[in-house]
Amino acid sequence: MQKLIWQNSRGDTVDLTAAPYGITEWDGFSNAGLNIQSQQVPFQDGAVFLDALMEQREISVTVAIQDNNDLSARYELKRQLISALKEAHKQSIWHL
């Protein structure tokens, strides 16, 4: 089972794969390109590995709220989700 957890800089976390949320579609989590950085000096056979950097990519996630047709619960869950996601500072996402 895969999990997708979002954390903002305030420490608020949202597990987008656990009830009452559910992911209906996600894209951009696989096939990340790598930029291998190496260095070669004169008269050296081969190269020295320096670093491997992941290339930037867009991640797209579509989330559904499971609320059993309770409109007030739906609005409260939506408000909590938007509050956790809207912060413009450092945010982290874990794909487990």
Side-chain angles (χ1 to χ4, degrees):
M1 181 175 149
Q2 297 184 9
K3 293 181 79 73
L4 188 64
I5 301 170
W6 180 277
Q7 181 178 18
N8 63 21
S9 63
R10 295 184 309 237
D12 300 333
T13 59
V14 177
D15 185 351
L16 298 173
T17 52
Y21 305 109
I23 295 179
T24 59
E25 183 180 340
W26 57 3
D27 188 32
F29 286 90
S30 61
N31 300 329
L34 286 178
N35 182 1
I36 306 292
Q37 298 181 347
S38 60
Q39 179 181 19
Q40 185 176 9
V41 296
F43 309 108
Q44 175 185 353
D45 290 334
V48 176
F49 173 80
L50 297 176
D51 203 357
L53 302 173
M54 292 182 72
E55 295 178 5
Q56 291 185 358
R57 63 190 188 275
E58 271 192 39
I59 296 175
S60 173
V61 179
T62 304
V63 178
I65 299 175
Q66 304 161 4
D67 61 4
N68 296 328
N69 292 326
D70 182 357
L71 194 58
S72 62
R74 181 183 311 161
Y75 285 134
E76 179 61 25
L77 291 168
K78 185 177 178 181
R79 186 193 63 75
Q80 291 173 2
L81 182 61
I82 290 171
S83 174
L85 298 179
K86 74 176 182 176
E87 189 171 319
H89 300 292
K90 181 181 176 186
Q91 300 179 12
S92 302
I93 190 166
W94 291 282
H95 177 221
L96 310 172

